[in-house]
Amino acid sequence: MAIYHLNVKNISRGDGRSVVAAAAYRAGEILTNDAEEKLSDFAGRRDVITSGIRIPAGAPDWMADRTTLWNAVELSEKRHDARLAKEIEFALPRELPRTAWLVVAQAMADAYTAQGFVADFAIHDDGTQHNPHVHILLTTRVITPDGFGPKIRSADGRQFISEARLTWERIANAALTKAGVTVTIDSRSYAKRKLDRQPGQHRGPDQDERRARRQRQREREKMVPKHDDRDLPVPDPDGSPIHPRELAAAEGRMLRDLEREEPPVFQEPNGDPAAARQAIERQNSREMSEDDATAYRLAPENTLDWLSLPISPEDEATLERWENHLDWLEADIRSPHSSDNEHEPDRER
């Protein structure tokens, strides 16, 4: 027989409690608490596995938001001792697989949305699966399309508790059977089952353990440095102080310069006929003045040194032909009225 535990309690303003703070604690969230004008912050809890809100058919969509829902509940209750919510807290059998926890929690919540309640559930486990359990907060008023109606008085009697215990027994045993576990839970007391056994006492939270945990937390907070080391100056290569952000920016620029792609290096057309041909065509297509073209066509003087060499008789006829071809070299020094036979060719030129 698996262990059975289920408890029903009230969240009452008469006890000095806030339903917004209760919802934030169970869900492990930060909720805006309008009535107390502060934030109910329980976001640091690590034992909250998951949470959710189930709303009945016909309920307005804003009731699915945890902050809006419970602040509206606080606003709708005017009495100083008003009952703000009903809570059902029950233990998950250790024999139940972890994958079935959410299924049974939603099934239990849906059993109350079918009766007109809004159910805000949360699954808790400290990581050891020693005491996994579920909290369900239920609204206490009839849900209408416009908001909240009158109180649901059926939730005030002992019958509500008995039905809650039977409902959880049915849902848990169905989940255990589906998981292939042979054990079951029984909502009846030892006396009703005629067992000569003393009922166990639910341990609940250990106050001494909580105080010790809070003390350790305060000591850890004192050890945390108040300033951020990332804002302290550091020495640059010259020894002068520099802010870490400036140092990081300089390192970023250096890395970007290193990663920048270098432009392609121009390579001469070594042995490439096509590239050489293109280079020659570029040279031949260069534009130049008439004087530059004349100088380009004239051969340097040292290329005509062969004219001063002794001439063999057999080359006389050839020389005469070449001299006639070189007459244009003296065109710039001839007078307009001079004839070709007035001057002998100057071989030195």
Side-chain angles (χ1 to χ4, degrees), residues 78-98:
K78 306 301 182 184
R79 294 172 58 93
H80 70 280
D81 59 349
R83 189 178 73 252
L84 303 171
K86 205 85 172 178
E87 181 181 24
I88 301 176
E89 181 257 331
F90 53 92
L92 294 168
R94 298 181 188 176
E95 296 82 0
L96 190 66
R98 188 184 182 92

Side-chain angles (χ1 to χ4, degrees), residues 295-309:
Y296 183 80
R297 289 194 299 270
L298 290 177
E301 292 182 0
N302 58 1
T303 60
L304 300 177
D305 291 345
W306 58 275
L307 294 176
S308 61
L309 296 176

